[in-house]
Amino acid sequence: MNTAYIRPAKTKAAAVGERNRTRWTRHLRKKLFTLVKPMEFMTAEEGATNAARKTPWDDRPRWATTRLRIEQLAIIELLQTRHLIATGKEISRSEVLAALMAEGLECTLNHPDFGGH
């Protein structure tokens, strides 16, 4: 069985996915601001934004790229496939990553390696 995620094209799943594109990002930000001081995140976001700009006068970049290991990408694609089967809705890689981050954020912040107790 081929487990690679195949994005639906011209389907109801793709149309619904487009309408709900930022759901998981909003969920992540909401959860983040309940767990971390907003100023701490805003400072980190500004630093990431500046690092992602190609030139100082660029508009605020919407996307940044980062390298993922094969097993990490495989998990993201596995979750995309499971989401499509379970809901009939498309979900992007960034939305899957936001969902993973939102659900694991509190546990990670509480871990001693990340300043938790």
Side-chain angles (χ1 to χ4, degrees), residues 4-11 14 17-18 21 80 84 90-92:
Y5 177 75
I6 299 172
R7 183 176 179 189
K10 308 254 187 235
T11 65
E18 283 184 41
R21 182 73 55 218
Q80 281 181 300
L84 181 61
E90 174 192 35
I91 189 168
S92 69

Side-chain angles (χ1 to χ4, degrees), residues 15 22 38 42 62 75:
T22 60
M42 290 167 65
R62 299 190 70 197
I75 290 168

